């Protein structure tokens, strides 16, 4: 089995907005101010403090909550141009497969830069993975996207 991994960092690493946003959400759950459940539906009601998301829904929600729409829009624009790849159900809700295809592509990226060595990952960076890098993948098919919370300890 082949693994396709793409690791990319925000172009402004001094301000890890993604990590801050993730911690705010997690703290809200711990303090019982927010409710979460795992769901591929990716339904977020900020007013009710209700989050029914999977890994990509979590990352996408954090990107949006931290006003990083341009980063998501870059992925969305790329997805719309490629053929033979399933499209996300809602705009600005890419799956891990979309992150990997975008991040591994040769297209110019304004909000992203590659990390070629996992030891160089910083808190707030995004790592995306998929087992199947092709058109038959679904949102539930061996994919994952996550936000790095800490540096790798050597």
């Amino acid at each position: 089995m082949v693994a396709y991994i793409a690791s990319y960092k925000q172009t402004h690493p001094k301000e890890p907005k993604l990590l801050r946003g993730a911690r705010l959400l997690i703290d809200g759950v711990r303090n019982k101010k927010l409710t979460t459940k795992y769901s591929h539906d990716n339904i977020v009601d900020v007013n009710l403090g209700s989050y029914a998301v999977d890994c990509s829904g979590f990352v996408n929600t954090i990107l949006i909550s931290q006003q990083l729409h341009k980063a998501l829009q870059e992925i969305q624009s790329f997805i719309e141009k490629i053929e033979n790849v399933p499209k996300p159900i809602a705009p600005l809700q890419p799956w891990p497969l979309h992150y990997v295809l975008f991040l591994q592509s040769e297209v110019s990226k304004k909000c992203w830069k590659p990390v070629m060595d996992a030891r160089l990952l910083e808190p707030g960076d995004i790592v995306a993975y998929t087992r199947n890098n092709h058109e038959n993948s679904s949102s539930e098919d061996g994919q994952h996207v996550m936000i790095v919370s800490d540096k790798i300890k050597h």
Side-chain angles (χ1 to χ4, degrees):
M1 183 172 299
V2 178
Y4 298 89
I5 301 173
S7 305
Y8 278 71
K9 67 170 55 252
Q10 296 173 297
T11 54
H12 305 290
K14 291 181 182 177
E15 188 177 336
K17 286 183 165 187
L18 288 180
L19 186 58
R20 182 174 55 240
R23 287 187 175 149
L24 285 171
L25 187 80
I26 292 166
D27 288 345
V29 172
R30 284 186 183 144
N31 296 328
K32 303 195 186 304
K33 294 179 182 177
L34 304 174
T35 60
T36 61
K37 77 173 188 174
Y38 186 85
S39 172
H40 290 289
D41 295 331
N42 291 316
I43 298 171
V44 174
D45 188 329
V46 177
N47 295 325
L48 292 176
S50 174
Y51 296 80
V53 296
D54 59 11
C55 62
S56 61
F58 179 79
V59 172
N60 298 336
T61 297
I62 300 304
L63 279 164
I64 291 168
S65 74
Q66 297 302 303
Q67 286 88 40
L68 296 169
H69 296 86
K70 288 182 181 179
L72 271 176
Q73 287 168 343
E74 261 191 286
I75 298 171
Q76 184 71 30
S77 295
F78 172 78
I79 294 166
E80 291 169 359
K81 294 174 188 167
I82 57 175
E83 297 179 16
N84 300 323
V85 172
K87 305 299 185 220
I89 296 167
L92 299 182
Q93 289 296 320
W95 302 335
L97 170 66
H98 301 132
Y99 278 90
V100 170
L101 292 174
F102 169 72
L103 297 171
Q104 288 183 339
S105 74
E106 297 295 321
V107 300
S108 175
K109 297 165 187 72
K110 295 178 182 171
C111 297
W112 307 88
K113 69 178 187 178
V115 177
M116 304 314 270
D117 184 338
R119 294 172 293 186
L120 301 177
L121 287 168
E122 297 281 338
D125 292 347
I126 290 178
V127 176
Y129 160 86
T130 181
R131 279 191 308 208
N132 299 306
N133 199 6
H134 57 74
E135 65 273 3
N136 294 326
S137 290
S138 75
S139 64
E140 303 175 29
D141 188 23
Q143 303 178 28
H144 193 57
V145 62
M146 63 200 111
I147 299 170
V148 175
S149 65
D150 206 348
K151 288 187 73 77
I152 293 176
K153 309 286 191 263
H154 300 274

